[in-house]
């Protein structure tokens, strides 16, 4: 199942995987700028990936696991969840 927190009157939904990724960034004590730089993408590209308007590449998922010190199960939950 997927938990969504939808804003009333808006088409935008914040998916569970988005929230988990935001928390992972905070837990790793990294900024989104540092994360984007590590992945070799722009901050706007990272924003689009975090908010599910663009997909993470396999290489970016592998780099994210290292950079954010994610467990394999959390990596799967964040990046490989069903949409």
């Amino acid at each position: 199942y997927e938990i969504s927190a939808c804003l009333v009157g808006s088409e935008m939904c914040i998916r569970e995987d988005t929230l988990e990724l935001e928390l992972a960034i905070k837990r790793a004590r990294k900024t989104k700028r540092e994360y984007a730089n590590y992945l070799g993408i722009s901050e706007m590209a990272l924003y689009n990936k975090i908010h599910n308007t663009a997909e993470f590449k396999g290489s970016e998922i592998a780099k994210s696991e290292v950079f954010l010190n994610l467990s394999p199960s959390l990596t799967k939950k964040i990046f490989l969840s069903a949409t």
Side-chain angles (χ1 to χ4, degrees):
Y1 69 93
E2 181 177 302
I3 300 171
S4 295
C6 294
L7 303 174
V8 176
S10 174
E11 293 179 18
M12 181 180 148
C13 288
I14 302 171
R15 294 181 10 185
E16 180 181 17
D17 57 344
T18 298
L19 295 175
E20 286 290 344
L21 183 52
E22 295 272 5
L23 287 172
I25 295 166
K26 290 186 187 316
R27 281 193 298 266
R29 297 178 187 243
K30 304 292 185 183
T31 65
K32 290 179 186 165
R33 176 172 288 165
E34 291 170 325
Y35 185 25
N37 287 338
Y38 184 80
L39 294 178
I41 60 176
S42 69
E43 289 180 68
M44 181 54 76
L46 179 62
Y47 177 90
N48 289 334
K49 291 171 188 274
I50 290 173
H51 292 90
N52 300 298
T53 58
E55 292 186 5
F56 281 89
K57 296 177 186 175
S59 60
E60 293 167 341
I61 293 171
K63 284 182 173 182
S64 295
E65 189 171 20
V66 171
F67 186 73
L68 301 175
N69 195 31
L70 301 175
S71 67
S73 62
L74 188 54
T75 300
K76 183 177 178 181
K77 182 178 182 180
I78 292 171
F79 297 104
L80 304 176
S81 65
T83 55

